[in-house]
mmCIF file of all heavy atoms in Angstrom:
data_model
loop_
_atom_site.group_PDB
_atom_site.id
_atom_site.type_symbol
_atom_site.label_atom_id
_atom_site.label_comp_id
_atom_site.label_asym_id
_atom_site.label_seq_id
_atom_site.Cartn_x
_atom_site.Cartn_y
_atom_site.Cartn_z
ATOM 1 N N LYS O 1 -88.734 47.584 42.106
ATOM 2 C CA LYS O 1 -87.489 46.832 42.183
ATOM 3 C C LYS O 1 -87.663 45.417 41.654
ATOM 4 O O LYS O 1 -88.776 44.932 41.486
ATOM 5 C CB LYS O 1 -86.972 46.798 43.618
ATOM 6 C CG LYS O 1 -86.583 48.161 44.166
ATOM 7 C CD LYS O 1 -85.840 48.050 45.474
ATOM 8 C CE LYS O 1 -85.357 49.406 45.934
ATOM 9 N NZ LYS O 1 -84.575 49.314 47.193
ATOM 10 N N GLU O 2 -86.545 44.768 41.403
ATOM 11 C CA GLU O 2 -86.552 43.397 40.906
ATOM 12 C C GLU O 2 -86.936 42.425 42.008
ATOM 13 O O GLU O 2 -86.774 42.701 43.196
ATOM 14 C CB GLU O 2 -85.176 43.029 40.348
ATOM 15 C CG GLU O 2 -84.696 43.895 39.196
ATOM 16 C CD GLU O 2 -85.485 43.662 37.938
ATOM 17 O OE1 GLU O 2 -86.000 42.537 37.740
ATOM 18 O OE2 GLU O 2 -85.605 44.601 37.133
ATOM 19 N N ARG O 3 -87.454 41.273 41.587
ATOM 20 C CA ARG O 3 -87.759 40.204 42.525
ATOM 21 C C ARG O 3 -86.465 39.544 42.986
ATOM 22 O O ARG O 3 -85.638 39.148 42.158
ATOM 23 C CB ARG O 3 -88.681 39.177 41.868
ATOM 24 C CG ARG O 3 -89.088 38.017 42.759
ATOM 25 C CD ARG O 3 -90.043 37.107 42.031
ATOM 26 N NE ARG O 3 -89.469 36.628 40.776
ATOM 27 C CZ ARG O 3 -90.140 35.948 39.851
ATOM 28 N NH1 ARG O 3 -91.425 35.670 40.039
ATOM 29 N NH2 ARG O 3 -89.531 35.558 38.746
ATOM 30 N N ASP O 4 -86.287 39.420 44.276
ATOM 31 C CA ASP O 4 -85.065 38.876 44.848
ATOM 32 C C ASP O 4 -85.330 37.566 45.565
ATOM 33 O O ASP O 4 -86.374 37.374 46.192
ATOM 34 C CB ASP O 4 -84.445 39.856 45.843
ATOM 35 C CG ASP O 4 -83.942 41.125 45.198
ATOM 36 O OD1 ASP O 4 -83.495 41.074 44.039
ATOM 37 O OD2 ASP O 4 -83.978 42.181 45.867
ATOM 38 N N THR O 5 -84.366 36.682 45.497
ATOM 39 C CA THR O 5 -84.409 35.458 46.274
ATOM 40 C C THR O 5 -84.085 35.764 47.730
ATOM 41 O O THR O 5 -83.136 36.490 48.014
ATOM 42 C CB THR O 5 -83.412 34.431 45.726
ATOM 43 O OG1 THR O 5 -83.675 34.198 44.343
ATOM 44 C CG2 THR O 5 -83.500 33.122 46.477
ATOM 45 N N VAL O 6 -84.875 35.229 48.635
ATOM 46 C CA VAL O 6 -84.665 35.434 50.065
ATOM 47 C C VAL O 6 -84.081 34.178 50.708
ATOM 48 O O VAL O 6 -83.031 34.226 51.358
ATOM 49 C CB VAL O 6 -85.973 35.821 50.773
ATOM 50 C CG1 VAL O 6 -85.747 35.950 52.281
ATOM 51 C CG2 VAL O 6 -86.525 37.118 50.199
ATOM 52 N N ALA O 7 -84.764 33.051 50.534
ATOM 53 C CA ALA O 7 -84.331 31.800 51.139
ATOM 54 C C ALA O 7 -84.910 30.638 50.354
ATOM 55 O O ALA O 7 -85.989 30.735 49.793
ATOM 56 C CB ALA O 7 -84.767 31.718 52.601
ATOM 57 N N VAL O 8 -84.191 29.539 50.343
ATOM 58 C CA VAL O 8 -84.580 28.351 49.599
ATOM 59 C C VAL O 8 -84.327 27.119 50.450
ATOM 60 O O VAL O 8 -83.353 27.077 51.215
ATOM 61 C CB VAL O 8 -83.790 28.257 48.273
ATOM 62 C CG1 VAL O 8 -83.957 26.897 47.622
ATOM 63 C CG2 VAL O 8 -84.217 29.357 47.317
ATOM 64 N N ILE O 9 -85.189 26.111 50.314
ATOM 65 C CA ILE O 9 -84.995 24.842 51.003
ATOM 66 C C ILE O 9 -85.158 23.718 49.995
ATOM 67 O O ILE O 9 -86.023 23.762 49.124
ATOM 68 C CB ILE O 9 -85.963 24.696 52.198
ATOM 69 C CG1 ILE O 9 -85.591 23.489 53.059
ATOM 70 C CG2 ILE O 9 -87.414 24.620 51.728
ATOM 71 C CD1 ILE O 9 -86.275 23.510 54.429
ATOM 72 N N SER O 10 -84.309 22.705 50.100
ATOM 73 C CA SER O 10 -84.335 21.596 49.162
ATOM 74 C C SER O 10 -85.538 20.696 49.406
ATOM 75 O O SER O 10 -86.194 20.760 50.452
ATOM 76 C CB SER O 10 -83.048 20.773 49.285
ATOM 77 O OG SER O 10 -82.957 20.172 50.569
ATOM 78 N N ARG O 11 -85.834 19.834 48.417
ATOM 79 C CA ARG O 11 -86.927 18.877 48.582
ATOM 80 C C ARG O 11 -86.695 17.964 49.771
ATOM 81 O O ARG O 11 -87.649 17.545 50.424
ATOM 82 C CB ARG O 11 -87.108 18.047 47.309
ATOM 83 C CG ARG O 11 -87.749 18.803 46.165
ATOM 84 C CD ARG O 11 -88.374 17.836 45.182
ATOM 85 N NE ARG O 11 -87.371 17.137 44.384
ATOM 86 C CZ ARG O 11 -87.398 15.841 44.118
ATOM 87 N NH1 ARG O 11 -88.386 15.085 44.571
ATOM 88 N NH2 ARG O 11 -86.445 15.298 43.378
ATOM 89 N N SER O 12 -85.431 17.673 50.048
ATOM 90 C CA SER O 12 -85.110 16.830 51.189
ATOM 91 C C SER O 12 -85.401 17.521 52.519
ATOM 92 O O SER O 12 -85.571 16.849 53.543
ATOM 93 C CB SER O 12 -83.640 16.422 51.149
ATOM 94 O OG SER O 12 -82.804 17.530 51.435
ATOM 95 N N GLY O 13 -85.425 18.837 52.510
ATOM 96 C CA GLY O 13 -85.599 19.612 53.726
ATOM 97 C C GLY O 13 -84.325 19.821 54.513
ATOM 98 O O GLY O 13 -84.320 20.560 55.504
ATOM 99 N N GLY O 14 -83.244 19.193 54.076
ATOM 100 C CA GLY O 14 -82.012 19.235 54.828
ATOM 101 C C GLY O 14 -81.023 20.303 54.412
ATOM 102 O O GLY O 14 -80.034 20.525 55.116
ATOM 103 N N ASN O 15 -81.264 20.957 53.281
ATOM 104 C CA ASN O 15 -80.348 21.968 52.774
ATOM 105 C C ASN O 15 -81.076 23.293 52.612
ATOM 106 O O ASN O 15 -82.210 23.327 52.130
ATOM 107 C CB ASN O 15 -79.761 21.539 51.428
ATOM 108 C CG ASN O 15 -78.966 20.257 51.534
ATOM 109 O OD1 ASN O 15 -78.237 20.046 52.499
ATOM 110 N ND2 ASN O 15 -79.101 19.391 50.542
ATOM 111 N N THR O 16 -80.424 24.367 52.991
ATOM 112 C CA THR O 16 -81.018 25.700 52.891
ATOM 113 C C THR O 16 -80.024 26.700 52.325
ATOM 114 O O THR O 16 -78.809 26.515 52.408
ATOM 115 C CB THR O 16 -81.515 26.212 54.254
ATOM 116 O OG1 THR O 16 -80.429 26.217 55.186
ATOM 117 C CG2 THR O 16 -82.634 25.340 54.786
ATOM 118 N N TYR O 17 -80.573 27.759 51.745
ATOM 119 C CA TYR O 17 -79.786 28.857 51.201
ATOM 120 C C TYR O 17 -80.423 30.172 51.632
ATOM 121 O O TYR O 17 -81.652 30.287 51.663
ATOM 122 C CB TYR O 17 -79.751 28.789 49.669
ATOM 123 C CG TYR O 17 -79.355 30.089 49.014
ATOM 124 C CD1 TYR O 17 -78.014 30.406 48.808
ATOM 125 C CD2 TYR O 17 -80.316 31.008 48.614
ATOM 126 C CE1 TYR O 17 -77.649 31.602 48.219
ATOM 127 C CE2 TYR O 17 -79.959 32.212 48.024
ATOM 128 C CZ TYR O 17 -78.626 32.498 47.829
ATOM 129 O OH TYR O 17 -78.263 33.683 47.247
ATOM 130 N N TYR O 18 -79.582 31.171 51.928
ATOM 131 C CA TYR O 18 -80.072 32.488 52.303
ATOM 132 C C TYR O 18 -79.327 33.570 51.539
ATOM 133 O O TYR O 18 -78.116 33.476 51.338
ATOM 134 C CB TYR O 18 -79.894 32.738 53.803
ATOM 135 C CG TYR O 18 -80.649 31.774 54.664
ATOM 136 C CD1 TYR O 18 -80.044 30.621 55.158
ATOM 137 C CD2 TYR O 18 -81.983 32.004 54.983
ATOM 138 C CE1 TYR O 18 -80.747 29.730 55.939
ATOM 139 C CE2 TYR O 18 -82.692 31.111 55.764
ATOM 140 C CZ TYR O 18 -82.070 29.976 56.238
ATOM 141 O OH TYR O 18 -82.782 29.089 57.019
ATOM 142 N N ALA O 19 -80.058 34.585 51.136
ATOM 143 C CA ALA O 19 -79.418 35.758 50.565
ATOM 144 C C ALA O 19 -78.537 36.414 51.618
ATOM 145 O O ALA O 19 -78.840 36.374 52.815
ATOM 146 C CB ALA O 19 -80.471 36.743 50.067
ATOM 147 N N ASP O 20 -77.453 37.026 51.172
ATOM 148 C CA ASP O 20 -76.542 37.671 52.110
ATOM 149 C C ASP O 20 -77.244 38.718 52.965
ATOM 150 O O ASP O 20 -76.905 38.900 54.138
ATOM 151 C CB ASP O 20 -75.384 38.324 51.353
ATOM 152 C CG ASP O 20 -74.410 37.317 50.786
ATOM 153 O OD1 ASP O 20 -74.411 36.148 51.236
ATOM 154 O OD2 ASP O 20 -73.628 37.693 49.889
ATOM 155 N N SER O 21 -78.230 39.389 52.402
ATOM 156 C CA SER O 21 -78.911 40.464 53.102
ATOM 157 C C SER O 21 -79.754 39.983 54.284
ATOM 158 O O SER O 21 -80.092 40.779 55.161
ATOM 159 C CB SER O 21 -79.796 41.254 52.137
ATOM 160 O OG SER O 21 -80.768 40.415 51.539
ATOM 161 N N VAL O 22 -80.101 38.697 54.313
ATOM 162 C CA VAL O 22 -80.941 38.173 55.388
ATOM 163 C C VAL O 22 -80.244 37.101 56.208
ATOM 164 O O VAL O 22 -80.803 36.634 57.213
ATOM 165 C CB VAL O 22 -82.274 37.619 54.850
ATOM 166 C CG1 VAL O 22 -82.983 38.666 54.002
ATOM 167 C CG2 VAL O 22 -82.059 36.334 54.051
ATOM 168 N N LYS O 23 -79.064 36.712 55.823
ATOM 169 C CA LYS O 23 -78.340 35.652 56.504
ATOM 170 C C LYS O 23 -78.137 35.998 57.974
ATOM 171 O O LYS O 23 -77.711 37.099 58.315
ATOM 172 C CB LYS O 23 -76.996 35.424 55.808
ATOM 173 C CG LYS O 23 -76.365 34.076 56.067
ATOM 174 C CD LYS O 23 -75.139 33.872 55.171
ATOM 175 C CE LYS O 23 -75.511 33.870 53.699
ATOM 176 N NZ LYS O 23 -74.342 33.662 52.813
ATOM 177 N N GLY O 24 -78.456 35.065 58.833
ATOM 178 C CA GLY O 24 -78.335 35.275 60.263
ATOM 179 C C GLY O 24 -79.566 35.873 60.899
ATOM 180 O O GLY O 24 -79.676 35.891 62.134
ATOM 181 N N ARG O 25 -80.501 36.375 60.098
ATOM 182 C CA ARG O 25 -81.729 36.977 60.613
ATOM 183 C C ARG O 25 -82.974 36.170 60.261
ATOM 184 O O ARG O 25 -83.924 36.133 61.040
ATOM 185 C CB ARG O 25 -81.897 38.399 60.068
ATOM 186 C CG ARG O 25 -80.764 39.340 60.451
ATOM 187 C CD ARG O 25 -81.102 40.776 60.064
ATOM 188 N NE ARG O 25 -81.236 40.939 58.619
ATOM 189 C CZ ARG O 25 -82.330 41.365 57.998
ATOM 190 N NH1 ARG O 25 -83.413 41.685 58.712
ATOM 191 N NH2 ARG O 25 -82.358 41.497 56.680
ATOM 192 N N PHE O 26 -82.978 35.546 59.089
ATOM 193 C CA PHE O 26 -84.135 34.795 58.611
ATOM 194 C C PHE O 26 -83.848 33.303 58.646
ATOM 195 O O PHE O 26 -82.702 32.872 58.455
ATOM 196 C CB PHE O 26 -84.488 35.177 57.168
ATOM 197 C CG PHE O 26 -85.038 36.562 56.992
ATOM 198 C CD1 PHE O 26 -85.021 37.497 58.016
ATOM 199 C CD2 PHE O 26 -85.584 36.928 55.771
ATOM 200 C CE1 PHE O 26 -85.528 38.779 57.838
ATOM 201 C CE2 PHE O 26 -86.096 38.202 55.575
ATOM 202 C CZ PHE O 26 -86.068 39.130 56.608
ATOM 203 N N THR O 27 -84.897 32.504 58.846
ATOM 204 C CA THR O 27 -84.777 31.058 58.832
ATOM 205 C C THR O 27 -85.931 30.450 58.051
ATOM 206 O O THR O 27 -87.099 30.735 58.342
ATOM 207 C CB THR O 27 -84.779 30.469 60.251
ATOM 208 O OG1 THR O 27 -83.722 31.049 61.017
ATOM 209 C CG2 THR O 27 -84.581 28.957 60.202
ATOM 210 N N ILE O 28 -85.613 29.622 57.069
ATOM 211 C CA ILE O 28 -86.639 28.890 56.327
ATOM 212 C C ILE O 28 -86.733 27.480 56.897
ATOM 213 O O ILE O 28 -85.720 26.867 57.224
ATOM 214 C CB ILE O 28 -86.340 28.867 54.814
ATOM 215 C CG1 ILE O 28 -87.506 28.244 54.040
ATOM 216 C CG2 ILE O 28 -85.025 28.148 54.512
ATOM 217 C CD1 ILE O 28 -87.372 28.367 52.527
ATOM 218 N N SER O 29 -87.949 26.978 57.021
ATOM 219 C CA SER O 29 -88.159 25.632 57.529
ATOM 220 C C SER O 29 -89.427 25.059 56.919
ATOM 221 O O SER O 29 -90.233 25.791 56.340
ATOM 222 C CB SER O 29 -88.245 25.623 59.059
ATOM 223 O OG SER O 29 -89.345 26.395 59.510
ATOM 224 N N ARG O 30 -89.599 23.758 57.051
ATOM 225 C CA ARG O 30 -90.805 23.123 56.536
ATOM 226 C C ARG O 30 -91.339 22.104 57.523
ATOM 227 O O ARG O 30 -90.582 21.432 58.221
ATOM 228 C CB ARG O 30 -90.547 22.498 55.163
ATOM 229 C CG ARG O 30 -89.515 21.387 55.136
ATOM 230 C CD ARG O 30 -89.034 21.107 53.714
ATOM 231 N NE ARG O 30 -90.122 20.782 52.803
ATOM 232 C CZ ARG O 30 -90.036 20.780 51.479
ATOM 233 N NH1 ARG O 30 -88.880 21.100 50.896
ATOM 234 N NH2 ARG O 30 -91.084 20.472 50.735
ATOM 235 N N ASP O 31 -92.654 22.003 57.580
ATOM 236 C CA ASP O 31 -93.344 21.053 58.432
ATOM 237 C C ASP O 31 -94.175 20.179 57.505
ATOM 238 O O ASP O 31 -95.234 20.587 57.033
ATOM 239 C CB ASP O 31 -94.222 21.779 59.448
ATOM 240 C CG ASP O 31 -94.840 20.838 60.470
ATOM 241 O OD1 ASP O 31 -95.063 19.657 60.149
ATOM 242 O OD2 ASP O 31 -95.118 21.290 61.594
ATOM 243 N N VAL O 32 -93.705 18.976 57.240
ATOM 244 C CA VAL O 32 -94.375 18.086 56.304
ATOM 245 C C VAL O 32 -95.769 17.710 56.796
ATOM 246 O O VAL O 32 -96.716 17.636 56.013
ATOM 247 C CB VAL O 32 -93.531 16.824 56.054
ATOM 248 C CG1 VAL O 32 -94.282 15.835 55.178
ATOM 249 C CG2 VAL O 32 -92.207 17.199 55.403
ATOM 250 N N ALA O 33 -95.916 17.484 58.092
ATOM 251 C CA ALA O 33 -97.203 17.093 58.655
ATOM 252 C C ALA O 33 -98.271 18.153 58.419
ATOM 253 O O ALA O 33 -99.451 17.828 58.285
ATOM 254 C CB ALA O 33 -97.066 16.807 60.142
ATOM 255 N N LYS O 34 -97.876 19.419 58.387
ATOM 256 C CA LYS O 34 -98.814 20.524 58.182
ATOM 257 C C LYS O 34 -98.811 21.051 56.755
ATOM 258 O O LYS O 34 -99.518 22.012 56.453
ATOM 259 C CB LYS O 34 -98.501 21.671 59.149
ATOM 260 C CG LYS O 34 -98.689 21.306 60.608
ATOM 261 C CD LYS O 34 -98.378 22.492 61.509
ATOM 262 C CE LYS O 34 -98.600 22.129 62.969
ATOM 263 N NZ LYS O 34 -98.280 23.264 63.875
ATOM 264 N N ASN O 35 -98.018 20.439 55.884
ATOM 265 C CA ASN O 35 -97.901 20.884 54.491
ATOM 266 C C ASN O 35 -97.602 22.381 54.408
ATOM 267 O O ASN O 35 -98.189 23.106 53.602
ATOM 268 C CB ASN O 35 -99.176 20.571 53.711
ATOM 269 C CG ASN O 35 -99.350 19.092 53.433
ATOM 270 O OD1 ASN O 35 -98.413 18.307 53.572
ATOM 271 N ND2 ASN O 35 -100.546 18.706 53.035
ATOM 272 N N THR O 36 -96.680 22.835 55.226
ATOM 273 C CA THR O 36 -96.423 24.265 55.351
ATOM 274 C C THR O 36 -94.925 24.558 55.383
ATOM 275 O O THR O 36 -94.156 23.829 56.014
ATOM 276 C CB THR O 36 -97.081 24.829 56.617
ATOM 277 O OG1 THR O 36 -98.490 24.582 56.565
ATOM 278 C CG2 THR O 36 -96.851 26.327 56.743
ATOM 279 N N VAL O 37 -94.545 25.633 54.694
ATOM 280 C CA VAL O 37 -93.193 26.166 54.745
ATOM 281 C C VAL O 37 -93.244 27.496 55.476
ATOM 282 O O VAL O 37 -94.179 28.282 55.281
ATOM 283 C CB VAL O 37 -92.609 26.347 53.334
ATOM 284 C CG1 VAL O 37 -91.247 27.029 53.398
ATOM 285 C CG2 VAL O 37 -92.492 25.002 52.642
ATOM 286 N N TYR O 38 -92.246 27.752 56.304
ATOM 287 C CA TYR O 38 -92.215 28.968 57.106
ATOM 288 C C TYR O 38 -90.993 29.812 56.769
ATOM 289 O O TYR O 38 -89.957 29.306 56.327
ATOM 290 C CB TYR O 38 -92.163 28.634 58.597
ATOM 291 C CG TYR O 38 -93.317 27.803 59.079
ATOM 292 C CD1 TYR O 38 -93.185 26.421 59.215
ATOM 293 C CD2 TYR O 38 -94.531 28.385 59.407
ATOM 294 C CE1 TYR O 38 -94.237 25.649 59.663
ATOM 295 C CE2 TYR O 38 -95.594 27.617 59.852
ATOM 296 C CZ TYR O 38 -95.442 26.251 59.980
ATOM 297 O OH TYR O 38 -96.491 25.490 60.426
ATOM 298 N N LEU O 39 -91.125 31.100 57.000
ATOM 299 C CA LEU O 39 -89.987 32.003 56.972
ATOM 300 C C LEU O 39 -90.028 32.813 58.259
ATOM 301 O O LEU O 39 -90.859 33.714 58.404
ATOM 302 C CB LEU O 39 -90.020 32.933 55.756
ATOM 303 C CG LEU O 39 -88.802 33.840 55.605
ATOM 304 C CD1 LEU O 39 -87.560 33.010 55.270
ATOM 305 C CD2 LEU O 39 -89.030 34.900 54.538
ATOM 306 N N GLN O 40 -89.162 32.467 59.189
ATOM 307 C CA GLN O 40 -89.038 33.216 60.429
ATOM 308 C C GLN O 40 -88.114 34.399 60.185
ATOM 309 O O GLN O 40 -86.964 34.210 59.778
ATOM 310 C CB GLN O 40 -88.485 32.334 61.543
ATOM 311 C CG GLN O 40 -88.293 33.045 62.874
ATOM 312 C CD GLN O 40 -89.599 33.476 63.490
ATOM 313 O OE1 GLN O 40 -90.540 32.705 63.554
ATOM 314 N NE2 GLN O 40 -89.662 34.729 63.947
ATOM 315 N N MET O 41 -88.602 35.598 60.426
ATOM 316 C CA MET O 41 -87.854 36.813 60.153
ATOM 317 C C MET O 41 -87.633 37.554 61.464
ATOM 318 O O MET O 41 -88.585 38.013 62.097
ATOM 319 C CB MET O 41 -88.596 37.699 59.158
ATOM 320 C CG MET O 41 -88.956 36.989 57.862
ATOM 321 S SD MET O 41 -89.685 38.098 56.629
ATOM 322 C CE MET O 41 -91.220 38.523 57.469
ATOM 323 N N ASN O 42 -86.378 37.662 61.866
ATOM 324 C CA ASN O 42 -86.004 38.359 63.083
ATOM 325 C C ASN O 42 -85.159 39.578 62.754
ATOM 326 O O ASN O 42 -84.612 39.695 61.661
ATOM 327 C CB ASN O 42 -85.224 37.429 64.013
ATOM 328 C CG ASN O 42 -86.020 36.225 64.459
ATOM 329 O OD1 ASN O 42 -87.227 36.311 64.665
ATOM 330 N ND2 ASN O 42 -85.343 35.095 64.632
ATOM 331 N N SER O 43 -85.038 40.476 63.714
ATOM 332 C CA SER O 43 -84.237 41.688 63.549
ATOM 333 C C SER O 43 -84.579 42.410 62.253
ATOM 334 O O SER O 43 -83.701 42.801 61.480
ATOM 335 C CB SER O 43 -82.745 41.343 63.599
ATOM 336 O OG SER O 43 -82.403 40.721 64.818
ATOM 337 N N LEU O 44 -85.852 42.598 62.023
ATOM 338 C CA LEU O 44 -86.309 43.177 60.764
ATOM 339 C C LEU O 44 -85.843 44.618 60.595
ATOM 340 O O LEU O 44 -85.755 45.380 61.562
ATOM 341 C CB LEU O 44 -87.826 43.104 60.674
ATOM 342 C CG LEU O 44 -88.363 41.717 60.318
ATOM 343 C CD1 LEU O 44 -89.836 41.590 60.681
ATOM 344 C CD2 LEU O 44 -88.157 41.442 58.828
ATOM 345 N N LYS O 45 -85.555 44.963 59.350
ATOM 346 C CA LYS O 45 -85.099 46.286 58.973
ATOM 347 C C LYS O 45 -86.072 46.902 57.983
ATOM 348 O O LYS O 45 -86.769 46.183 57.274
ATOM 349 C CB LYS O 45 -83.711 46.202 58.317
ATOM 350 C CG LYS O 45 -82.655 45.507 59.147
ATOM 351 C CD LYS O 45 -81.366 45.358 58.347
ATOM 352 C CE LYS O 45 -80.299 44.658 59.157
ATOM 353 N NZ LYS O 45 -79.050 44.491 58.366
#
């Protein structure tokens, strides 16, 4: 299958985007102190 966008976060960290297929289930976040971006995935299918 093709590569799909799941979630995106802006450089500011204040804006996010989610694909319709994961909206309400997944959360993207970033921790600057840890130099890490996370994708929390709930209600997995």
Side-chain angles (χ1 to χ4, degrees):
K1 295 191 175 182
E2 300 290 331
R3 181 177 56 189
D4 294 328
T5 304
V6 177
V8 168
I9 190 165
S10 64
R11 286 202 287 136
S12 71
N15 299 320
T16 57
Y17 161 87
Y18 299 94
D20 288 342
S21 59
V22 307
K23 201 172 297 181
R25 300 189 296 121
F26 291 10
T27 303
I28 187 172
S29 62
R30 62 196 304 165
D31 187 332
V32 175
K34 296 181 179 179
N35 288 345
T36 302
V37 175
Y38 302 98
L39 184 68
Q40 179 66 47
M41 305 186 294
N42 298 325
S43 301
L44 283 162
K45 305 174 180 179

